[in-house]
Amino acid sequence: MSRQDTSKKKALKNLCRRYLLGILGCYIGAIGINLFILPVHLLSGGLSGLAIIFYYLMGWPIGVQLIVMNLPLLYMAYRYVGKTYALDTIAGTFLFSFAIDSTSFLAQYHLVQDTMLSAIFGGIVAGAGFGMIFRAGTNTGGMDVIGVVVKKYYSIDVGTVLFLLNMSVILASAFLFDVDVALFTLVAVYASAELTNRFAAGFNREKAILIISQHSDVIGEAILAELNRGVTYFHGRSGFLKAGCDALYVVVNLTQVSKVETLVHRIDENAFLTVTSVSEVQGRGFTKEKIRYSSTEREQLIAAQNERESSKR
């Protein structure tokens, strides 16, 4: 098989995975709304919340409303953002609209009687679904389109725009129904936003560690030998000592953080070390199979690299 055929096969596989994830996300989001939000007469955020208001008042199907309401927004997506974004928005809009109407029968089951629990778990389940949709690189239209357009032309953060629009829906619910509905809806919207961000960014628990030490070479070799984690070296200048210093960067699993700290302090108790969380890691050892080199093989690779660098000079 040629490299071009392999690339096409990989692209097709990624496309199928992307849309399967999007479909799954649409149904999970729809189930969260129908199973938890609607039975206790609450709302959701975004354009769905507006459609739910008309559902309560007029009995109109939520999915059909979303398609009608999104028509001008789909044009905005095509006109002001781009064709690719518009096509993804159209696909997401119709899939979510179909999912929410095809699972509408779930609203008949009062799975949870407590309103607060319904708000929390409705937000969690719906947020998980929306996070999968965003993770797939698509969206369900609605206020997201408005946020993207405003961001592009007025440099206002998308999150700020969505927050203001969601608050408008919540205030409308307080006026049309009562304050309790508005406050419980706010809980659901917050839970949904948190889970959406978590799923969209990923649940990786890897940690990035930056180590600054006068013995960074020794520390790096120890990490390679004992933890089999790759390291990257940087050369900097200490502001306090006014002298050159080396730093190294390594990404490890959560369980390896204490091992790195112990290893570093064993070699240099004065080392400066910071640990930060990373939302996503791609590469060998995490999303690709890890290669384990012996010390001899590693020395050969280093010698080959040095030889290539020498030939370039």
Side-chain angles (χ1 to χ4, degrees):
M1 185 179 292
S2 65
R3 182 177 295 179
Q4 186 176 5
D5 292 337
T6 303
S7 299
K8 288 181 179 180
K9 186 177 180 180
K10 186 177 180 180
L12 181 61
K13 183 179 178 180
N14 290 336
L15 184 65
C16 292
R17 176 184 171 276
R18 181 183 171 206
Y19 278 102
L20 284 174
L21 186 63
I23 292 170
L24 180 62
C26 284
Y27 271 92
I28 291 177
I31 289 171
I33 291 174
N34 281 315
L35 195 59
F36 294 100
I37 300 298
L38 297 187
V40 291
H41 212 74
L42 298 181
L43 305 175
S44 68
L47 209 60
S48 300
L50 187 61
I52 291 172
I53 291 177
F54 287 108
Y55 168 78
Y56 291 146
L57 297 176
M58 307 291 184
W60 295 341
I62 297 173
V64 174
Q65 289 187 70
L66 288 175
I67 291 175
V68 174
M69 291 178 181
N70 270 294
L71 290 177
L73 299 178
L74 295 175
Y75 171 76
M76 286 177 60
Y78 178 79
R79 176 71 175 79
Y80 297 106
V81 183
K83 183 178 179 180
T84 302
Y85 180 83
L87 290 175
D88 286 337
T89 303
I90 291 170
T93 298
F94 278 87
L95 282 172
F96 181 69
S97 298
F98 178 80
I100 200 167
D101 277 353
S102 64
T103 58
S104 60
F105 65 92
L106 294 175
Q108 302 172 10
Y109 302 99
H110 286 259
L111 186 64
V112 179
Q113 303 299 321
D114 185 81
T115 306
M116 177 60 81
L117 286 177
S118 295
I120 293 172
F121 282 96
I124 288 174
V125 176
F130 295 141
M132 290 181 182
I133 294 169
F134 291 133
R135 184 80 173 175
T138 184
N139 65 88
T140 58
M143 295 182 180
D144 295 336
V145 177
I146 299 175
V148 171
V149 172
V150 172
K151 169 69 175 177
K152 181 176 181 179
Y153 288 94
Y154 299 99
S155 298
I156 301 175
D157 186 68
V158 175
T160 302
V161 176
L162 295 180
F163 174 77
L164 293 174
L165 294 173
N166 285 331
M167 287 305 298
S168 300
V169 174
I170 292 171
L171 290 174
S173 69
F175 177 77
L176 293 171
F177 305 109
D178 57 53
V179 176
D180 287 351
V181 171
L183 293 178
F184 282 125
T185 297
L186 184 60
V187 172
V189 169
Y190 177 80
S192 178
E194 283 295 310
L195 263 292
T196 298
N197 292 335
R198 289 287 183 179
F199 269 84
F203 278 93
N204 290 331
R205 303 182 70 191
E206 279 73 34
K207 299 291 183 177
I209 304 178
L210 179 67
I211 305 163
I212 300 174
S213 169
Q214 297 296 326
H215 308 285
S216 57
D217 288 340
V218 180
I219 293 172
E221 285 297 322
I223 291 174
L224 285 166
E226 298 183 26
L227 300 180
N228 197 36
R229 285 295 180 196
V231 297
T232 301
Y233 293 96
F234 299 95
H235 183 70
R237 185 170 181 269
S238 171
F240 180 75
L241 298 175
K242 305 299 182 184
C245 64
D246 289 322
L248 60 90
Y249 178 84
V250 59
V251 178
V252 298
N253 295 323
L254 183 62
T255 57
Q256 294 177 314
V257 173
S258 61
K259 295 179 181 179
V260 173
E261 291 174 344
T262 301
L263 183 150
V264 170
H265 291 136
R266 187 180 70 208
I267 297 172
D268 182 7
E269 61 181 12
N270 296 318
F272 182 80
L273 184 146
T274 63
V275 181
T276 56
S277 298
V278 291
S279 61
E280 184 171 357
V281 181
Q282 295 186 15
R284 198 167 299 282
F286 293 95
T287 58
K288 297 179 181 179
E289 185 180 355
K290 187 187 297 185
I291 296 178
R292 295 185 178 273
Y293 294 111
S294 65
S295 57
T296 303
E297 291 173 329
R298 190 157 56 243
E299 289 175 0
Q300 291 174 348
L301 288 172
I302 293 171
Q305 177 67 27
N306 292 335
E307 185 177 347
R308 284 194 297 269
E309 290 179 356
S310 299
S311 63
K312 291 178 182 179
R313 297 190 183 115

